[in-house]
Amino acid sequence: MAMAGGIMTGEIETMTSEIRKRAEEVITRCRKLATFSEDHESTRRTFLSPPMRDCHREIARWMEPLGIPVRADAAGNLRASYAAAQPGAPSLLVGSHLDTVPNAGAYDGVLGVALAVSLLESLRGRRLPFGIEVVGFSEEEGVRFGVPFIGSRALVGRLDEELLNVQDGRGISVRKAIEEFGLNPAEIPQARLNQAGENTEYFGYIEFHIEQGPVLEELGQPLAVVESIAGQSRLEFTFLGRSNHAGTTPMHLRYDALAAAAEWITAVEGLARSKTGLVATVGKIEAKPGATNVIAGETRLTLDVRHGSDEIRIQAVKDLVEQAQEIAGRRGLTARWNTLLEQRAVAMDPFLVAEIERAIGKTGSTPHRMVSGAGHDAMILAEKIPAAMIFLRTPGGISHDPAESLAVEDVKKAIECGLHLLDQLAASFTASSSKLLRP
Ligand code: HGY
Ligand code: MN
Ligand code: MN
């Protein structure tokens, strides 16, 4: 007999062939979503671009047999609720982001949404003592506007005027992009979680995500539980020099913005190599006017700095700003910068981490706790509700690239882990309180 409101624990073990089929379907579904792209030859899906609508439609199609209506909130997040056994019970959010980086792989983000749907399908109509809401965030990567987490910030009430006015490369603001998608920015406050008087209360957020690194492959394990997510700083730097003729200007009379940028990029790499756990990346550079026979008068660069300790990260940013100023000054140029994102390191919810660890153990895998170097929506949701993440092994540690891959067996373990986790939460949950029973 099914446990009161739970999944019959013994049953998960007997569902092996069904869960394997669902794992294969998750991979097929992720690869289908990867075809919804702004580019012909590769996957790029940014904030509320037309392919995002195709994504929503496809996921709605998956959910039809479950009788679950799919909607987009005013920040363009896909939202779909699977009702609890009792009306008015609180809900668990499960999901990830639907946007991608340029030339993306097929699993970063969308895997978390596909796995959430697969868990609902695996419940076979069973109702739990809590609802489950699938969420597909509209923008986590920060590609279109340079600022990440636009979708999840709406759920914690931080999609503010300043962010709504940020413009993309074509001068379109976040607000305009929302309107062009057919949504009403005035309704953004309604996307916020756990507002007084709202009929659904959310007690937690779970995100399945590819690890995007080499750790699980080295350990030979399919799954890990994330203990904390490294903080990150994203900045834009400009070196201002003077364009001039490449043939007639002697080397000692140049104010070369590209040469200055090159010296600084080497300094960025040098500093990161000198500090354990620190990573710093210049991912984008633009030189103006950008002609072979013209000395660059201006260069614009992005900087991404991460570390598990906020103190070390913030000090590293300070050092790199000083080095940019020193290099520019010595070369007779000017260095300018502005901060695009200052995101502190975030610990995941200890109770959910322990429950996930237990659930991983039940799949026959050795639970492993780790820090995430990549940023995730879970670090934003954690501002408002208990949040936790489950990583799946990334073969070759390759991500943010079409070579990103995933093993069916690991997806199967993730579904089993998810079902055990739901079973455990159902057992520990009390409808009288919107918080999970804490030991
Ligand atoms: O860049 C990151 O940390 C993630 O992939 N959004
Ligand atoms: Mn990513
Ligand atoms: Mn991601």
Side-chain angles (χ1 to χ4, degrees):
M1 271 302 284
M3 284 177 58
I7 306 146
M8 201 159 61
T9 307
E11 187 175 8
I12 297 171
E13 280 65 28
T14 65
M15 291 167 69
T16 301
S17 57
E18 176 190 336
I19 293 178
R20 182 171 181 85
K21 276 201 202 80
R22 291 202 188 286
E24 286 161 356
E25 187 178 51
V26 162
I27 288 183
T28 309
R29 285 174 168 175
C30 288
R31 302 203 69 79
K32 174 75 188 279
L33 294 186
T35 64
F36 301 141
S37 172
E38 293 158 53
D39 300 332
H40 291 298
E41 304 300 314
S42 60
T43 300
R44 181 167 60 101
R45 193 170 54 244
T46 60
F47 183 70
L48 300 189
S49 62
M52 188 59 85
R53 197 180 304 282
D54 300 325
C55 238
H56 284 196
R57 277 202 200 102
E58 179 70 12
I59 296 167
R61 213 175 48 73
W62 304 345
M63 305 262 239
E64 253 160 43
L66 293 167
I68 299 180
V70 173
R71 65 184 179 89
D73 67 20
N77 300 309
L78 176 140
R79 310 279 289 269
S81 298
Y82 180 81
Q86 302 299 333
S91 284
L92 178 70
L93 266 181
V94 186
S96 189
H97 60 95
L98 291 174
D99 66 307
T100 74
V101 293
N103 197 35
Y107 304 105
D108 176 4
V110 295
L111 171 70
V113 178
L115 274 172
V117 176
S118 194
L119 286 177
L120 297 187
E121 291 168 330
S122 304
L123 287 174
R124 302 171 171 166
R126 275 194 187 79
R127 299 291 165 179
L128 303 177
F130 48 84
I132 296 174
E133 181 167 317
V134 177
V135 58
F137 293 112
S138 51
E139 158 69 73
E140 184 272 348
E141 299 286 4
V143 170
R144 180 170 175 183
F145 293 94
V147 181
F149 307 128
I150 296 177
S152 45
R153 283 176 60 170
L155 271 63
V156 298
R158 285 206 292 120
L159 178 37
D160 52 21
E161 279 305 305
E162 186 190 346
L163 180 47
L164 282 168
N165 293 328
V166 172
Q167 294 185 359
D168 67 9
R170 291 177 296 146
I172 297 172
S173 67
V174 171
R175 178 195 312 280
K176 189 91 179 93
I178 289 174
E179 288 163 352
E180 286 178 352
F181 200 73
L183 299 167
N184 178 0
E187 293 172 3
I188 285 173
Q190 290 152 36
R192 189 169 174 171
L193 300 181
N194 295 356
Q195 296 192 77
E198 193 194 53
N199 54 9
T200 306
E201 191 179 349
Y202 298 88
F203 66 86
Y205 173 70
I206 298 288
E207 181 169 359
F208 288 88
H209 201 287
I210 49 173
E211 177 207 333
Q212 299 180 293
V215 172
L216 282 173
E217 188 165 58
E218 266 171 21
L219 289 171
Q221 287 300 330
L223 304 175
V225 57
V226 175
E227 262 194 319
S228 68
I229 301 176
Q232 54 176 287
S233 302
R234 297 191 191 185
L235 299 89
E236 201 176 37
F237 277 77
T238 305
F239 284 93
L240 290 167
R242 194 183 309 149
S243 328
N244 212 329
H245 196 296
T248 57
T249 312
M251 294 311 284
H252 69 288
L253 295 180
R254 292 182 175 211
Y255 300 95
D256 186 335
L258 198 39
E263 184 181 348
W264 183 66
I265 291 169
T266 310
V268 167
E269 187 189 42
L271 178 76
R273 283 182 184 278
S274 71
K275 276 229 183 341
T276 313
L278 181 67
V279 285
T281 313
V282 174
K284 201 163 115 180
I285 181 167
E286 191 195 349
K288 289 184 177 167
T292 310
N293 59 350
V294 181
I295 300 164
E298 178 182 329
T299 44
R300 280 171 178 256
L301 309 89
T302 58
L303 176 69
D304 178 314
V305 180
R306 309 198 192 187
H307 196 280
S309 145
D310 290 337
E311 195 189 337
I312 293 176
R313 170 174 56 83
I314 291 166
Q315 186 54 51
V317 171
K318 272 199 193 110
D319 294 347
L320 292 172
V321 165
E322 278 168 21
Q323 289 187 17
Q325 288 174 306
E326 190 279 324
I327 290 166
R330 180 164 30 85
R331 289 168 169 263
L333 283 79
T334 312
R336 290 212 191 107
W337 67 93
N338 64 300
T339 300
L340 299 170
L341 172 78
E342 197 43 73
Q343 172 59 50
R344 63 181 175 77
V346 176
M348 297 289 92
D349 178 74
F351 172 78
L352 289 176
V353 166
E355 287 303 308
I356 291 169
E357 210 168 23
R358 218 153 55 90
I360 290 176
K362 288 177 186 168
T363 69
S365 319
T366 311
H368 175 67
R369 291 182 175 221
M370 63 186 285
V371 174
S372 170
H376 297 286
D377 291 304
M379 70 200 312
I380 304 298
L381 274 290
E383 293 172 20
K384 199 107 169 109
I385 54 176
M389 292 190 75
I390 297 148
F391 272 174
L392 281 79
R393 175 168 29 192
T394 301
I398 296 171
S399 181
H400 281 186
D401 181 281
E404 195 176 86
S405 64
L406 199 52
V408 174
E409 197 47 38
D410 293 352
V411 179
K412 178 171 166 293
K413 292 279 186 196
I415 296 172
E416 287 167 4
C417 168
L419 290 173
H420 284 301
L421 178 62
L422 292 179
D423 196 26
Q424 289 164 211
L425 296 181
S428 71
F429 193 85
T430 61
S432 57
S433 87
S434 63
K435 298 277 174 288
L436 286 170
L437 276 184
R438 292 278 187 275

